[in-house]
Amino acid sequence: MIFFAAMRHQMALMRASWQFLVLLGVLQPVVYLLIVLSSNPTAATVTAVMLMSFWGSTVWSGAGILRREKMEGTLAPTMLGVRDPRLVLLGKTTGASLLILVVISATVSLFLLLSGHAVVIAMPFWFAVGLALVAVTGTAAGFLLSCLFLLSRYGPQLSALAVAPVTLLSGLLIPVSVLPGWIQPLSWVINLRWVQEFLGGAARGAPDFTALGLGAVLTVVYFVLGAVAFERVAVLARKEGTLDLS
Amino acid sequence: MIYLEVVRLGRLLFRASEPWSITVTAVWPRVVLQGLFFTLLGQVLGLEEHAFAGALAITMLASTVVGVADVPMADKWNRTYSRLRLSEVHIPLVFALRTLPMILHGGMAVLLVWAVAGPVSGLTLEVLPTLPIYAVMLFSTTALGLAVVAQVVGHRADVFAGNAATWLVIACSGALVPHGRLPVLDAVGAVLPVRHGLDAVRSAMAGGPWLTPLLWEAAVGLGWALVAWLAYLWQGNRARRLGLDDYS
């Protein structure tokens, strides 16, 4: 119950601060689409733009949740509350991921409609499954990064740094094959790479279930790392008292 | 002498918000990776040198258009905005002098991306003679940043305004979206920074005339500087008249 309450609360917060939704969910994908859509776009290009925008949004909205709680003075009550604070954080990151995914999907669809570009999804069911994994991926990444960024006073700079390597190495808009050979293995641990391969395959009518499995496994790994990072935050805040909560 | 003090204070404020350790370990790596991304994206899209020149220009925007928002906003957050109005130095000049660290930071970003992404694009030497043109773009984008944040300093929209202006510049400047794709982008880009500067860079790389577009870039920058100057002066006068100057 607390999970859904936190999710709704996060969505209400993001709707209230609509400027960030416009920035991350509308302007960002529109500019990427303008850059890449020189000719008839493929479904893979469109999903790449969606995932690029989604990752940037996840880092700035989902990952900043705990930092924002700290700024607004609600982190201490959350950490010391009766309910498990992990459920609260998980609910909030899920809410952020779902809302931003809906806004980005609507923006991309509207852009394609207005610009007269048609993208055919050969296997809509598996494409929808892939999008669901995207939402879970965003939740996991937001959960992990939110804890990590709380540990530093320089969250905004670290957030910006987190966006760059994923956009460069994940093979979304730049094929991994273009990168130097010694860098390419780094893309294996970025789950968006596998999600993108699955989504592109589902759109072409040939879903790659190995990619889906790898994406799912990496998402679980992100969740586990997030749980470890959260434990560290909890110890610093409640036992050692070295983490400023307000 | 007082002007040097303003510059010194600007440097101290900048370093307080971004110490060298963060600049070196987080900001510069991000700048380089972002520059590499846009350069490689340009190659994938077949834009080649068109994209590398654009990537260098995009690199500076985080420091100039977005970064300079912190200059007036710091006084708002620290509730010292009203004190500035009592200064013998005009507020617009205080803010302009305090943006120097951001301008230098943006210049450093351009040099870093040129040094690292240049070899990837194979255009290091071709772009080298055009680097002074980017100095003019540093000025014009900073002027845009100051003008944009001036409109929202009384509201909680500085992050939105700076980032929205950045996306607008990326879309309309021809940095990565070639001219002619959408007429409306070209029309908007003509009154925004970077567009004419990039025209000058690309023309110079092709051995063509570059002075006229460069002068246009400077004119656009001066235009935005004038908008910023007038906006801060108007706000100051209005605040004195209506008592709205604490922005808290």
Side-chain angles (χ1 to χ4, degrees), chain B residues 71-87:
Chain B
V71 172
M73 296 309 288
D75 280 298
K76 176 187 170 181
W77 296 322
N78 296 323
R79 303 193 172 190
T80 49
Y81 210 103
S82 58
R83 306 286 298 172
L84 284 183
R85 299 195 202 292
L86 305 175
S87 164

Side-chain angles (χ1 to χ4, degrees), chain B residues 186-206:
Chain B
D186 294 342
V188 175
V191 294
L192 288 177
V194 177
R195 156 78 183 274
H196 302 289
L198 280 179
D199 285 348
V201 168
R202 288 167 181 149
S203 186
M205 286 172 70

Side-chain angles (χ1 to χ4, degrees), chain A residues 18-20 22-23 27-28 31-38 52 72 152-154 157-158 160-162 164-165 167-168 173-175 178-179, chain B residues 16-19 22 25-27 29-30 33-34 36-38 40-41 43-45 156-157 159-160 163-164 167 170-171 176-177 181-182 185:
Chain A
W18 55 268
Q19 297 163 337
F20 284 93
V22 171
L23 205 59
L27 278 177
Q28 186 183 207
V31 174
Y32 277 131
L33 285 168
L34 284 170
I35 291 172
V36 301
L37 297 188
S38 53
M52 286 273 295
E72 293 174 356
S152 169
R153 288 176 58 198
Y154 303 101
Q157 288 92 338
L158 295 175
L161 177 63
T167 54
L168 183 63
L173 287 176
I174 298 170
V178 171
L179 303 172
Chain B
S17 66
E18 190 182 301
I22 290 296
T25 58
V27 177
R30 189 264 304 161
L33 290 171
Q34 189 188 43
L36 279 170
F37 168 73
F38 283 120
L40 286 171
L41 180 62
Q43 289 185 353
V44 169
L45 297 173
R156 295 177 62 182
V159 176
F160 172 76
N163 281 285
W167 283 113
I170 293 174
L176 287 166
V177 183
R181 187 171 294 176
L182 265 180
L185 295 185

